[in-house]
Amino acid sequence: MTSPKPFEGDYDYVIVGAGTGGCVLANRLSEDPMTRVLLLEAGKSDNYHWVHIPVGYLYCIGNPRTDWMMKTAHEPGLNGRSLVYPRGKVLGGCSSVNGMIYMRGQAADYDHWRQLGNAGWGWDDVLPYFLKSEDHHAGDTEMHGAGGEWKVTTQRLGWEILSAVQEGAKEFGIEPRADFNDGNNEGSGLFEVNQKAGVRWNTSKAFLRPAMKRPNLRVVTEAHTDHLVLDGKRVTGVQFTHKGQQFIAGAAREVLLAAGAINSPKILELSGIGRANVLSDLGISVQHESDGVGENLQDHLQIRTVYKVKNAKTLNTQANSVVGKAKIGLQYLFTQTGPMSMAPSQFGMFTKSDPSMETPDLEYHVQPLSTDKLGDPLHPFPAITMSVCNLRPESIGSCHITSVDREMQPDIRLNYLSAPKDRQVALTAVKQAREVMTAAALEPYEPEEILPGKKVQSDEDLLSSIGDIATTIFHPVGTCKMGMDAKAVVDPQLRVLGLDGLRVVDASIMPKIVSGNTASPVIMIAEKAAAMIRAGV
């Protein structure tokens, strides 16, 4: 791995990024033994214990071993705050550090993509690719697959207080739902998770490790992409640095950029592909002008409301003593169950901010724990967190490089709450959460709002408080959007418009953000991309 020899010569495909999408591509493309595939990953192996223990996400986020350690720009809509913006820096990418929630989004999301001119991306078109890789705990059905690489299981613990929230929600018309992934996720229920026997199941385990046994797939970790190599309007390879040495890997067929919604536009811009003003301001020669690169950034902003409760077991009290922590650790050690097997969110609700809407636009994540802010110690009293996010934000941001130094993170501007409708939906969401907590089913637990606080009542004060407590739910998409308009970066086959030999295959191609978590949609995107590539489309 330290000498030039392993990297010399051409490959058929060079994949940049062994994250959620890149691992899928590497598996599918190397199925053909005559196809030579090189997979480049800037991070290290996922052979790190906190990646695999579900609660370990707390120790992966903010850890330079597994996280790119990015931050957003100071956000006016968040009262000038800059947010920590975790991105996976490890095999499996964000699937190694995320919340493990299995969520496809709504049928209407993909039908809207198709309506925007992206033929082949409607719900009926993409469902087969979700099914292809799925190994669902309920087996092979019309809506779920069995025997695939991507394991979907139920959670291995329960909380009485979450059952009470579900009963309370019913009083306000939010009915229990058996399946969030059949195209209509309206209702409430426990999230399904990407785990196997209480251990995280990332795309490295699912797709990459089995493929690494093939002689035609080469995986290089700690390989930092400097830029793409162009010959006129054709991308012919990738220049990268590995342990202080520079190499060029040639791609006889295509380079596949799968570095994610933040790093894919960064690599394009470092390669002279993007907005002319961004490139020229940094002294980068424009190789190919594409006005949409780094634009159209979308994310789900979550508002964390917290309620102190009585007569209920929550993680706060269990984990705030040496004895409690020891019991939790031993339970996981011997049974792989209990709080250490928890996804960050266990229970969810999808509902509407306005009854006239056709599909839900709000997602609630309800947790049997609470902190002042993510990463802080748990409160010393029993409490629950009811986070809510606007699934279809109208606020649009951007992500652009500010230096030719590839070690510098881009300028990440989400423009949270800049759209008037987003501010109105945020107010409605908090009021709706407050209403649910008044349910008769929750009276035995005497919920008391401590965040934002029951004294915060006027819309003006509430919006200001939201600016203080809202944070990202880590779903950036859209920065290399798919389409045929002037701001599109890739076409419906994910080929970069105006260039040959280059596709983008990750969350950055989403023209609009999906109505839910984004990991499994990226797997679907990679499955569909691999099928198109192998079919010569």
Side-chain angles (χ1 to χ4, degrees), residues 73-111:
H74 295 279
E75 291 285 338
L78 302 184
N79 299 334
R81 289 185 300 132
S82 169
L83 300 182
V84 171
Y85 213 64
R87 297 285 86 201
K89 186 185 177 184
V90 61
L91 289 179
C94 289
S95 77
S96 295
V97 301
N98 70 3
M100 296 163 283
I101 292 173
Y102 179 68
M103 192 66 59
R104 296 172 178 170
Q106 300 168 2
D109 297 333
Y110 303 101
D111 289 341

Short mmCIF file of all heavy atoms in Angstrom, two decimals, residues 73-111:
data_model
loop_
_atom_site.label_atom_id
_atom_site.label_comp_id
_atom_site.label_asym_id
_atom_site.label_seq_id
_atom_site.Cartn_x
_atom_site.Cartn_y
_atom_site.Cartn_z
N ALA A 73 -21.33 27.47 8.42
CA ALA A 73 -21.16 28.91 8.60
C ALA A 73 -22.10 29.38 9.72
O ALA A 73 -23.01 28.66 10.14
CB ALA A 73 -21.49 29.63 7.30
N HIS A 74 -21.87 30.56 10.23
CA HIS A 74 -22.78 31.13 11.23
C HIS A 74 -24.12 31.40 10.56
O HIS A 74 -24.19 32.09 9.54
CB HIS A 74 -22.18 32.39 11.83
CG HIS A 74 -20.93 32.12 12.61
ND1 HIS A 74 -20.95 31.67 13.91
CD2 HIS A 74 -19.61 32.20 12.26
CE1 HIS A 74 -19.71 31.50 14.35
NE2 HIS A 74 -18.88 31.82 13.37
N GLU A 75 -25.17 30.85 11.13
CA GLU A 75 -26.49 30.88 10.52
C GLU A 75 -27.37 31.99 11.11
O GLU A 75 -27.70 31.94 12.29
CB GLU A 75 -27.18 29.52 10.72
CG GLU A 75 -26.56 28.38 9.94
CD GLU A 75 -26.91 28.46 8.45
OE1 GLU A 75 -27.92 29.09 8.12
OE2 GLU A 75 -26.16 27.89 7.64
N PRO A 76 -27.77 32.96 10.30
CA PRO A 76 -28.65 34.02 10.81
C PRO A 76 -29.95 33.47 11.39
O PRO A 76 -30.45 33.97 12.41
CB PRO A 76 -28.91 34.89 9.57
CG PRO A 76 -27.71 34.67 8.70
CD PRO A 76 -27.33 33.24 8.91
N GLY A 77 -30.51 32.44 10.75
CA GLY A 77 -31.77 31.87 11.24
C GLY A 77 -31.64 31.13 12.54
O GLY A 77 -32.65 30.83 13.20
N LEU A 78 -30.41 30.84 12.95
CA LEU A 78 -30.15 30.18 14.23
C LEU A 78 -29.46 31.15 15.19
O LEU A 78 -28.63 30.75 16.01
CB LEU A 78 -29.29 28.93 14.02
CG LEU A 78 -29.87 27.87 13.08
CD1 LEU A 78 -28.98 26.64 13.05
CD2 LEU A 78 -31.29 27.48 13.49
N ASN A 79 -29.82 32.41 15.06
CA ASN A 79 -29.30 33.46 15.94
C ASN A 79 -27.77 33.54 15.90
O ASN A 79 -27.12 33.81 16.91
CB ASN A 79 -29.80 33.25 17.38
CG ASN A 79 -31.31 33.30 17.47
OD1 ASN A 79 -31.97 33.94 16.65
ND2 ASN A 79 -31.88 32.62 18.46
N GLY A 80 -27.23 33.32 14.69
CA GLY A 80 -25.80 33.48 14.50
C GLY A 80 -24.96 32.29 14.91
O GLY A 80 -23.71 32.36 14.87
N ARG A 81 -25.59 31.17 15.25
CA ARG A 81 -24.82 30.00 15.68
C ARG A 81 -24.21 29.25 14.49
O ARG A 81 -24.80 29.18 13.42
CB ARG A 81 -25.70 29.03 16.47
CG ARG A 81 -26.10 29.54 17.84
CD ARG A 81 -26.87 28.48 18.60
NE ARG A 81 -28.09 28.10 17.92
CZ ARG A 81 -28.47 26.84 17.71
NH1 ARG A 81 -27.73 25.83 18.13
NH2 ARG A 81 -29.61 26.57 17.10
N SER A 82 -23.06 28.66 14.72
CA SER A 82 -22.45 27.70 13.79
C SER A 82 -22.66 26.32 14.38
O SER A 82 -22.46 26.11 15.58
CB SER A 82 -20.95 27.99 13.64
OG SER A 82 -20.30 26.94 12.96
N LEU A 83 -23.08 25.37 13.54
CA LEU A 83 -23.36 24.02 14.01
C LEU A 83 -22.21 23.07 13.68
O LEU A 83 -21.59 23.18 12.62
CB LEU A 83 -24.63 23.48 13.37
CG LEU A 83 -25.93 24.25 13.60
CD1 LEU A 83 -27.08 23.52 12.92
CD2 LEU A 83 -26.21 24.44 15.08
N VAL A 84 -21.95 22.15 14.59
CA VAL A 84 -21.08 21.02 14.27
C VAL A 84 -21.78 20.21 13.18
O VAL A 84 -22.98 19.95 13.25
CB VAL A 84 -20.83 20.17 15.53
CG1 VAL A 84 -20.11 18.88 15.17
CG2 VAL A 84 -20.04 20.97 16.56
N TYR A 85 -21.01 19.79 12.16
CA TYR A 85 -21.61 19.15 11.00
C TYR A 85 -20.89 17.84 10.68
O TYR A 85 -20.03 17.77 9.79
CB TYR A 85 -21.58 20.10 9.80
CG TYR A 85 -22.76 19.96 8.88
CD1 TYR A 85 -24.04 20.26 9.32
CD2 TYR A 85 -22.60 19.53 7.58
CE1 TYR A 85 -25.14 20.14 8.48
CE2 TYR A 85 -23.69 19.40 6.72
CZ TYR A 85 -24.96 19.71 7.19
OH TYR A 85 -26.04 19.58 6.35
N PRO A 86 -21.21 16.78 11.41
CA PRO A 86 -20.48 15.51 11.26
C PRO A 86 -20.66 14.89 9.87
O PRO A 86 -21.75 14.91 9.30
CB PRO A 86 -21.12 14.60 12.32
CG PRO A 86 -21.78 15.53 13.28
CD PRO A 86 -22.22 16.70 12.47
N ARG A 87 -19.58 14.32 9.35
CA ARG A 87 -19.56 13.55 8.11
C ARG A 87 -18.63 12.36 8.33
O ARG A 87 -17.53 12.51 8.86
CB ARG A 87 -19.05 14.37 6.93
CG ARG A 87 -19.87 15.60 6.54
CD ARG A 87 -21.15 15.23 5.80
NE ARG A 87 -22.24 14.94 6.72
CZ ARG A 87 -23.32 14.25 6.42
NH1 ARG A 87 -23.45 13.72 5.22
NH2 ARG A 87 -24.27 14.06 7.29
N GLY A 88 -19.04 11.18 7.90
CA GLY A 88 -18.27 9.98 8.14
C GLY A 88 -16.93 9.98 7.42
O GLY A 88 -16.87 10.20 6.21
N LYS A 89 -15.86 9.72 8.15
CA LYS A 89 -14.51 9.67 7.61
C LYS A 89 -13.94 8.28 7.89
O LYS A 89 -12.99 8.11 8.66
CB LYS A 89 -13.64 10.76 8.25
CG LYS A 89 -12.25 10.90 7.67
CD LYS A 89 -11.46 11.93 8.48
CE LYS A 89 -10.03 12.03 7.98
NZ LYS A 89 -9.23 12.95 8.82
N VAL A 90 -14.54 7.27 7.26
CA VAL A 90 -14.24 5.88 7.58
C VAL A 90 -14.91 5.02 6.52
O VAL A 90 -15.85 5.48 5.85
CB VAL A 90 -14.77 5.56 9.00
CG1 VAL A 90 -16.28 5.74 9.08
CG2 VAL A 90 -14.38 4.18 9.47
N LEU A 91 -14.44 3.79 6.32
CA LEU A 91 -15.16 2.90 5.42
C LEU A 91 -16.61 2.79 5.86
O LEU A 91 -16.91 2.59 7.03
CB LEU A 91 -14.51 1.51 5.42
CG LEU A 91 -13.14 1.36 4.74
CD1 LEU A 91 -12.65 -0.07 4.86
CD2 LEU A 91 -13.19 1.78 3.28
N GLY A 92 -17.52 2.89 4.91
CA GLY A 92 -18.94 2.95 5.23
C GLY A 92 -19.46 4.36 5.34
O GLY A 92 -20.68 4.57 5.35
N GLY A 93 -18.55 5.35 5.42
CA GLY A 93 -18.97 6.75 5.46
C GLY A 93 -19.95 7.03 6.57
O GLY A 93 -19.80 6.58 7.71
N CYS A 94 -21.00 7.78 6.23
CA CYS A 94 -21.98 8.15 7.24
C CYS A 94 -22.80 6.95 7.74
O CYS A 94 -23.38 7.02 8.82
CB CYS A 94 -22.90 9.24 6.70
SG CYS A 94 -22.07 10.84 6.54
N SER A 95 -22.83 5.85 6.99
CA SER A 95 -23.53 4.67 7.49
C SER A 95 -22.79 4.05 8.68
O SER A 95 -23.34 3.20 9.38
CB SER A 95 -23.70 3.63 6.39
OG SER A 95 -22.51 2.92 6.12
N SER A 96 -21.56 4.50 8.93
CA SER A 96 -20.78 4.01 10.07
C SER A 96 -20.96 4.89 11.31
O SER A 96 -20.52 4.50 12.40
CB SER A 96 -19.29 3.95 9.71
OG SER A 96 -19.05 3.00 8.70
N VAL A 97 -21.59 6.05 11.15
CA VAL A 97 -21.72 6.96 12.29
C VAL A 97 -23.14 7.50 12.46
O VAL A 97 -23.40 8.29 13.36
CB VAL A 97 -20.74 8.15 12.15
CG1 VAL A 97 -19.31 7.66 12.07
CG2 VAL A 97 -21.08 9.02 10.94
N ASN A 98 -24.08 7.07 11.62
CA ASN A 98 -25.41 7.68 11.64
C ASN A 98 -26.34 7.02 12.66
O ASN A 98 -25.91 6.20 13.48
CB ASN A 98 -26.03 7.65 10.24
CG ASN A 98 -26.40 6.23 9.79
OD1 ASN A 98 -26.26 5.25 10.51
ND2 ASN A 98 -26.87 6.12 8.56
N GLY A 99 -27.62 7.37 12.60
CA GLY A 99 -28.59 6.89 13.57
C GLY A 99 -29.18 5.53 13.27
O GLY A 99 -30.04 5.05 14.01
N MET A 100 -28.76 4.89 12.16
CA MET A 100 -29.15 3.50 11.84
C MET A 100 -30.63 3.34 11.51
O MET A 100 -31.12 2.20 11.43
CB MET A 100 -28.77 2.53 12.96
CG MET A 100 -27.28 2.41 13.20
SD MET A 100 -26.85 1.66 14.80
CE MET A 100 -27.16 3.06 15.90
N ILE A 101 -31.36 4.42 11.32
CA ILE A 101 -32.79 4.32 11.05
C ILE A 101 -33.01 3.95 9.59
O ILE A 101 -32.46 4.59 8.69
CB ILE A 101 -33.51 5.63 11.39
CG1 ILE A 101 -33.50 5.85 12.91
CG2 ILE A 101 -34.95 5.62 10.87
CD1 ILE A 101 -34.03 7.20 13.33
N TYR A 102 -33.81 2.92 9.37
CA TYR A 102 -34.14 2.51 8.00
C TYR A 102 -35.37 3.28 7.54
O TYR A 102 -36.46 3.11 8.09
CB TYR A 102 -34.41 1.01 7.92
CG TYR A 102 -34.76 0.58 6.51
CD1 TYR A 102 -33.81 0.62 5.50
CD2 TYR A 102 -36.05 0.16 6.17
CE1 TYR A 102 -34.11 0.26 4.20
CE2 TYR A 102 -36.36 -0.21 4.86
CZ TYR A 102 -35.39 -0.16 3.89
OH TYR A 102 -35.70 -0.52 2.60
N MET A 103 -35.18 4.11 6.54
CA MET A 103 -36.28 4.94 6.06
C MET A 103 -36.08 5.21 4.57
O MET A 103 -35.00 5.63 4.14
CB MET A 103 -36.31 6.27 6.83
CG MET A 103 -37.55 7.09 6.62
SD MET A 103 -39.05 6.30 7.30
CE MET A 103 -38.58 6.14 9.02
N ARG A 104 -37.14 4.98 3.79
CA ARG A 104 -37.05 5.22 2.35
C ARG A 104 -37.52 6.61 1.95
O ARG A 104 -37.11 7.13 0.92
CB ARG A 104 -37.93 4.20 1.61
CG ARG A 104 -37.49 2.76 1.76
CD ARG A 104 -38.53 1.84 1.15
NE ARG A 104 -38.16 0.43 1.22
CZ ARG A 104 -38.99 -0.56 0.93
NH1 ARG A 104 -40.26 -0.28 0.58
NH2 ARG A 104 -38.59 -1.81 1.00
N GLY A 105 -38.42 7.19 2.73
CA GLY A 105 -39.10 8.40 2.29
C GLY A 105 -40.48 8.04 1.76
O GLY A 105 -40.96 6.92 1.93
N GLN A 106 -41.13 8.98 1.13
CA GLN A 106 -42.49 8.79 0.64
C GLN A 106 -42.50 8.58 -0.88
O GLN A 106 -41.63 9.09 -1.60
CB GLN A 106 -43.34 10.01 0.99
CG GLN A 106 -43.45 10.28 2.47
CD GLN A 106 -44.05 11.64 2.78
OE1 GLN A 106 -44.44 12.39 1.88
NE2 GLN A 106 -44.11 11.99 4.06
N ALA A 107 -43.49 7.84 -1.34
CA ALA A 107 -43.65 7.63 -2.79
C ALA A 107 -43.71 8.97 -3.52
O ALA A 107 -43.15 9.13 -4.61
CB ALA A 107 -44.90 6.81 -3.06
N ALA A 108 -44.38 9.94 -2.91
CA ALA A 108 -44.53 11.25 -3.54
C ALA A 108 -43.20 11.96 -3.75
O ALA A 108 -43.06 12.76 -4.68
CB ALA A 108 -45.46 12.13 -2.69
N ASP A 109 -42.20 11.67 -2.91
CA ASP A 109 -40.88 12.28 -3.08
C ASP A 109 -40.30 11.93 -4.45
O ASP A 109 -39.83 12.79 -5.19
CB ASP A 109 -39.91 11.79 -2.01
CG ASP A 109 -40.31 12.17 -0.60
OD1 ASP A 109 -40.99 13.19 -0.44
OD2 ASP A 109 -39.92 11.44 0.33
N TYR A 110 -40.33 10.65 -4.76
CA TYR A 110 -39.72 10.17 -5.99
C TYR A 110 -40.58 10.49 -7.21
O TYR A 110 -40.05 10.80 -8.29
CB TYR A 110 -39.45 8.67 -5.87
CG TYR A 110 -38.56 8.38 -4.67
CD1 TYR A 110 -39.10 7.91 -3.47
CD2 TYR A 110 -37.19 8.64 -4.72
CE1 TYR A 110 -38.29 7.68 -2.37
CE2 TYR A 110 -36.38 8.42 -3.62
CZ TYR A 110 -36.94 7.94 -2.44
OH TYR A 110 -36.14 7.72 -1.34
N ASP A 111 -41.89 10.46 -7.02
CA ASP A 111 -42.76 10.87 -8.12
C ASP A 111 -42.52 12.34 -8.47
O ASP A 111 -42.58 12.73 -9.65
CB ASP A 111 -44.23 10.64 -7.76
CG ASP A 111 -44.59 9.17 -7.71
OD1 ASP A 111 -43.85 8.35 -8.29
OD2 ASP A 111 -45.62 8.82 -7.10
#
